[in-house]
C-alpha cells in the first residue's frame, strides 16, 4: 500500500513514523508513505498556499491551485473513474465524516491512499467537490491541521495489513473489531494439536469495546484478577469477557450498543445492568 500526503509541513511526519509497527511495515515493504510539500506547487516568490475567504470572515483558506497541481503530479486515475481502481483521495477536515474502525478496514483493502492535510480556517470547498473521493474527520473536535489525523489514519490502516501485526487475529479481538463467524465456536488448542479442539476463550469485539485485560502479578496493590481468568475454563472465560466488554461499553460508549451485534443473552445481561431493552431485529 502506498500513502501520499499533501501538506505544508512535510517534516511533521518524521516523528510519528519512527516508532511502532508503522516503520516496520515501511521497512518490510508492506506499505510506504511519501510526503509532498504543497509550497512546491506555488508560482510566486512567497510560495503562497492560502488566501482570504470570499465573503469575509476570520482566518485564511488553503487555495485549490497548489493542491490540484500536487494531485496532478501523482498521476492518479481521474475522479470519475477512481471508484473502479484501488486508489482514493481523502481530505482530512473537521467537516468530514467520522473516521471509524470500519472505515480503516475498508481503506485497508486499497492499494493507494492520498491524504490532503487541511490547515488554517479550512480548504477551498472546490477541492473536496472536484478532487476528493471523501472527507474524513477523526473526531468531534478541531485541530490546527490535518497532519495529526493523517498520521492517525495511516497507523490505523497499516496495522490491518497482512503481515504487519504479530498474529493475524490481533486486530480482530480488540475494540471495534469484527464479529465472530456464526459457526465459529471452537479453535485448535495449539499449532501442534491438529485433532483435539478446545473452546475459544476470546471474543471478537463485534462493534463493542474490548474486554479488560490482566497480566502478572495476579494480585496488584491488594486488587486480585477476576477468579474466572485463573480457573482455565475457556467457556466461562469467554462468557465473562463478553459480559465485561458489554459492561465497559455501556459505561464508556453506550452509543455503540445501538448498532452492535447483540445476542439475546447480551440483551438480558445489559438489562440486568439497567440498560433499556433493545430489539433483536
Amino acid at each position: 500500500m502506498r500513502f501520499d500526503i499533501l501538506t505544508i509541513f512535510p517534516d511533521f511526519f518524521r516523528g510519528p513514523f519512527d516508532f511502532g509497527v508503522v516503520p516496520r511495515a515501511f521497512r518490510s515493504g508492506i506499505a510506504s508513505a511519501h510526503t509532498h510539500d504543497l509550497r512546491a506547487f506555488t508560482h510566486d516568490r512567497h510560495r503562497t498556499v492560502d488566501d482570504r475567504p470570499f465573503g469575509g470572515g476570520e482566518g485564511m483558506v488553503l487555495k485549490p491551485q497548489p493542491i490540484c497541481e500536487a494531485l496532478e503530479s501523482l498521476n492518479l486515475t481521474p475522479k470519475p473513474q477512481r471508484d473502479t481502481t484501488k486508489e482514493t483521495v481523502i481530505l482530512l477536515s473537521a467537516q468530514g465524516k467520522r473516521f471509524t474502525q470500519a472505515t480503516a478496514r475498508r481503506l485497508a483493502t486499497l492499494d493507494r491512499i492520498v491524504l490532503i492535510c487541511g490547515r488554517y480556517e479550512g480548504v477551498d470547498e472546490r477541492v473536496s467537490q472536484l478532487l476528493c473521493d471523501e472527507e474524513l474527520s477523526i473526531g468531534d473536535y478541531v485541530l490546527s491541521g490535518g497532519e495529526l489525523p493523517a498520521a492517525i489514519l495511516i497507523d490505523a490502516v497499516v496495522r490491518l495489513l497482512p503481515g504487519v501485526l504479530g498474529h493475524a487475529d490481533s486486530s480482530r479481538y480488540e475494540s471495534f473489531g469484527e464479529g465472530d463467524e456464526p459457526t465459529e465456536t471452537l479453535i485448535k488448542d495449539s499449532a501442534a494439536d491438529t485433532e483435539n479442539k478446545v473452546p475459544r476463550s476470546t471474543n471478537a469485539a463485534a462493534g463493542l469495546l474490548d474486554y479488560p485485560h490482566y497480566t502478572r502479578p495476579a494480585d496488584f496493590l491488594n486488587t486480585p484478577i477476576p477468579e474466572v481468568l485463573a480457573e482455565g475454563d475457556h467457556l466461562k472465560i469467554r462468557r465473562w469477557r463478553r459480559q465485561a466488554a458489554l459492561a465497559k461499553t455501556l459505561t464508556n460508549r453506550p452509543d455503540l450498543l445501538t448498532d452492535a451485534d447483540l445476542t439475546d443473552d447480551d440483551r438480558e445481561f445489559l438489562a440486568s445492568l439497567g440498560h433499556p431493552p433493545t430489539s433483536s431485529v
Side-chain angles (χ1 to χ4, degrees), residues 54-93:
F54 279 113
E58 298 78 18
M60 303 290 279
V61 177
L62 275 180
K63 299 167 64 175
Q65 171 266 325
I67 297 174
C68 182
E69 291 194 20
L71 289 173
E72 288 177 348
S73 74
L74 300 178
N75 297 314
L76 296 164
T77 303
K79 181 178 177 179
Q81 290 83 46
R82 208 176 289 148
D83 58 353
T84 63
T85 64
K86 287 193 170 186
E87 56 187 21
T88 190
V89 177
I90 299 171
L91 173 63
L92 297 160
S93 81

Side-chain angles (χ1 to χ4, degrees), residues 18-19 64 73 79 104 106 108 128 137 158 166 209 212 266 278:
D18 286 345
F19 306 96
S73 74
K79 181 178 177 179
R106 171 171 58 83
S128 177
S137 166
V158 165
L209 301 183
D266 292 339
T278 56

